[in-house]
Amino acid sequence: MNADTVALLTLILAGGSLAPRRALARSRPTLASAINAGPVAWRQAGCSAAQQKRLAAPDHALLETGLDWLQRPDHHLLALDDPRFPPLLHDIPEPPLALFIHGDPSRLWLPAVAVVGSRSPTPSGRALAAEFSRAFAQAGMAVVSGLAAGIDAAAHQAVLEVAGVTVAVIGNGPDSVYPPHHRRLQASVAALGAVASEYPPGTPARPAYFPARNRLVAGLSLVTVVIEAANRSGALITARLAAEAGREVCALPGSVRNPRAAGCHRLIRDGAALVETPDEVLALVAPALAHSLPALQKHLHAPTEQGRRAHLPASLASEPDYQNLWKALDHDPTPMDSLITRCGLTAARLSSMLLAMELAGIVVCEHGRYCRNPGFPTSTASLTQAEGQ
């Protein structure tokens, strides 16, 4: 394991406020040199006495646990400056130092909707979470949630059932499962999507970690949908954090006699969009995509600017909708309305597909019109072949 990985784990295990640890990481050319700079540099970065103590004498048992976890297949540690780090998290008020990811890190780049709500939903609430999540997955969106009991679990499970992409953000180390009976669900999410945590292996679930987890759920998503939430609910924290990050917030109304709907009604009174169907949520996605695209391109270093290309997953490149869209595109810029007519797709579905293809360097957007990137293969067969490599 290289020295910077050990240094990053040491910095994570120091705990405490994120700001001084980020400052310390930026204070030297490498993370290893920042850790090795010693107490004077640590104090200059603003590290507390407790953080300095842990930097000087890290918990070697936890350090070894983290290093062992990283040796296993599909286990990743992405620092904030890693090019694979999900770009939307750069824009939240408190981005994590790093993410531990079990699964495919590229899943965290897909345009996503967060689905959150009560841990003890009504049967109707659980069914709505499944219905909405399936619709989002079938529209080409990833579904993000927190792997908690209730609405979260229903959302993840529904997406898995239609072979969609779902991302679980957890409030414990990636080597543990909370609640314990979600072990099989967590493994399935990791196999087909990704499980992400800012907490190192060996960290148990603690109540204080879940609000912090919620900011990542909101931060990874363009839109947050709340389905059944009481007035004192973690889902309301997620909604507030989403709004603070400049993201759309939606809530489903419920019966006035259902205490689990009270939080949703409160959100609606405070300005959240009232939605009754998945299509109403997806209608909000297109403008959200347009708003977030410049930031996504900036952090990706799009190929038109830096000569680098991201990779559209082969599973997307081989989908009929993507092949049809590729055929509908030309070397001359085409407006969105024309592409909708040619492809027979909704604006929300088409926007999410174009974003994925634009980030992959396949498509170029010029003044709101889309065309093929001249540097990319010109046949649909070569599109599938190139992206499947």
Side-chain angles (χ1 to χ4, degrees):
M1 196 64 65
N2 67 53
D4 279 336
T5 300
V6 175
L8 179 55
L9 279 170
T10 300
L11 194 62
I12 292 167
L13 291 171
S17 176
L18 287 168
R21 289 186 286 161
R22 281 197 297 267
L24 178 59
R26 292 192 296 262
S27 69
R28 296 291 188 277
T30 66
L31 278 170
S33 63
I35 298 299
N36 293 333
V40 172
W42 304 342
R43 284 194 298 273
Q44 289 174 343
C47 292
S48 67
Q51 287 175 320
Q52 293 176 50
K53 182 179 179 180
R54 287 189 286 266
L55 288 171
D59 185 321
H60 288 288
L62 285 177
L63 193 59
E64 287 300 322
T65 297
L67 294 172
D68 288 345
W69 185 86
L70 287 170
Q71 297 293 333
R72 299 171 195 169
D74 297 322
H75 289 188
H76 310 272
L77 175 58
L78 308 185
L80 188 59
D81 61 353
D82 190 307
R84 298 172 297 164
F85 191 89
L88 286 179
L89 289 186
H90 285 274
D91 299 326
I92 66 175
E94 281 287 306
L97 285 174
L99 286 177
F100 295 88
I101 296 174
H102 182 191
D104 183 353
S106 71
R107 299 309 200 187
L108 279 70
W109 283 72
L110 295 175
V113 177
V115 177
V116 297
S118 173
R119 284 179 167 82
S120 55
T122 64
S124 175
R126 191 182 299 274
L128 284 168
E131 175 190 336
F132 274 63
S133 297
R134 276 193 296 267
F136 299 148
Q138 290 166 340
M141 305 294 290
V143 173
V144 180
S145 200
L147 206 76
I151 295 297
D152 290 17
H156 291 305
Q157 188 62 52
V159 175
L160 293 172
E161 288 170 358
V162 296
V165 174
T166 186
V167 174
V169 185
I170 58 177
N172 43 274
D175 59 337
S176 60
V177 179
Y178 185 84
H181 66 270
H182 280 176
R183 184 169 302 279
R184 181 176 295 180
L185 178 59
Q186 181 167 319
S188 297
V189 171
L192 297 177
V195 175
S197 175
E198 66 180 314
Y199 301 107
T203 305
R206 294 188 179 123
Y209 294 162
F210 292 107
R213 179 274 310 271
N214 292 348
R215 85 189 193 286
L216 303 186
V217 171
L220 286 168
S221 308
L222 297 174
V223 179
T224 292
V225 181
V226 183
I227 301 175
E228 289 198 342
N231 267 321
R232 294 177 62 84
S233 168
L236 299 190
I237 297 175
T238 306
R240 175 176 58 79
L241 294 169
E244 289 175 357
R247 311 292 162 77
E248 294 282 354
V249 177
C250 308
L252 274 67
S255 168
V256 295
R257 293 181 173 86
N258 178 9
R260 296 178 182 88
C264 293
H265 296 162
R266 174 178 157 192
L267 287 173
I268 293 166
R269 286 195 299 272
D270 290 345
L274 186 159
V275 293
E276 297 174 306
T277 68
D279 284 344
E280 290 174 343
V281 178
L282 291 170
L284 297 172
V285 171
L289 285 173
H291 176 75
S292 65
L293 183 57
L296 286 167
Q297 290 176 313
K298 174 184 175 182
H299 291 296
L300 178 66
H301 302 299
T304 53
E305 300 172 20
Q306 303 290 342
R308 297 173 60 188
R309 178 185 292 142
H311 298 287
L312 187 69
S315 60
L316 297 185
S318 60
E319 283 186 7
D321 282 352
Y322 279 88
Q323 295 289 351
N324 291 337
L325 175 54
W326 180 252
K327 292 176 185 177
L329 289 162
D330 203 341
H331 294 292
D332 295 322
T334 304
M336 173 74 80
D337 289 348
S338 297
L339 292 175
I340 291 172
T341 301
R342 293 178 190 177
C343 298
L345 298 170
T346 66
R349 168 66 167 155
L350 195 63
S351 294
S352 67
M353 291 166 62
L354 286 167
L355 175 64
M357 295 175 80
E358 189 168 0
L359 292 175
I362 301 169
V363 167
V364 175
C365 180
E366 298 178 358
H367 307 295
R369 296 169 178 251
Y370 296 87
C371 63
R372 295 180 178 184
N373 184 340
F376 206 82
T378 57
S379 71
T380 58
S382 57
L383 169 64
T384 303
Q385 180 181 11
E387 289 306 311
Q389 291 175 347

